[in-house]
Amino acid sequence: MIGRLNHVAIAVNDLAAAARGYRDTLGARVGSPRDVPEHGVRVVFVTLPNTKIELLEPLGADSPIAGFLERNPSGGIHHLCYEVDDILAARDRLKAGGARVLGAGEPAIGAHGKPVLFLHPKDFSGTLIELEQA
Ligand code: CO
């Protein structure tokens, strides 16, 4: 059911420093910072030949990544995003299989302007999973 790895998201406390590391030290193609207030993050996209890295910095006091950064003060991998052809069919199949879809279970528009859902990390080896409509 899942398809390509769309991105790996890394939560950071200092977005500018993380972007510099990817651009100047790792030599990656790094975009400009963009605020995504509806998800409580500021994001920089790093484009690799086969996938993307999203560097996420908290935006606002109640950012959903604030707790993660409290537990991981030097930052860390926050979630993996897999593409699916039909996000509603994927959700229904996952729920029927007992997986927990976070929030109300309705897709929200993600950082790339496409519908996304998040799955509970305890159901998938301790990894928060984002599904994005391909
Ligand atoms: Co993501």
Side-chain angles (χ1 to χ4, degrees), residues 63-125:
S63 171
I65 65 170
F68 179 89
L69 283 168
E70 268 168 37
R71 295 189 299 278
N72 303 274
S74 52
I77 294 177
H78 183 261
H79 64 267
L80 302 179
C81 177
Y82 302 120
E83 295 178 4
V84 293
D85 288 331
D86 182 336
I87 198 162
L88 293 177
R91 175 198 62 188
D92 293 345
R93 174 173 161 176
L94 284 156
K95 286 174 89 168
R100 285 167 283 183
V101 177
L102 298 187
E106 293 305 317
I109 298 302
H112 302 103
K114 293 181 170 175
V116 300
L117 285 172
F118 285 90
L119 307 177
H120 200 296
K122 288 199 172 139
D123 294 335
F124 297 99
S125 312

Side-chain angles (χ1 to χ4, degrees), residues 2 22 46 48 53 55 59 83 85 100 103 105-106 115 120 123 126 129 131:
I2 60 169
Y22 269 84
V46 179
L48 304 180
I53 306 295
L55 303 172
L59 180 68
E83 295 178 4
D85 288 331
R100 285 167 283 183
E106 293 305 317
H120 200 296
D123 294 335
I129 291 178
L131 296 179

Side-chain angles (χ1 to χ4, degrees), residues 6-9 54 56 79-81 111-112 116 118 130 132:
N6 184 276
H7 61 267
V8 177
E54 280 184 14
L56 305 175
H79 64 267
L80 302 179
C81 177
H112 302 103
V116 300
F118 285 90
E130 179 180 19
E132 182 177 291

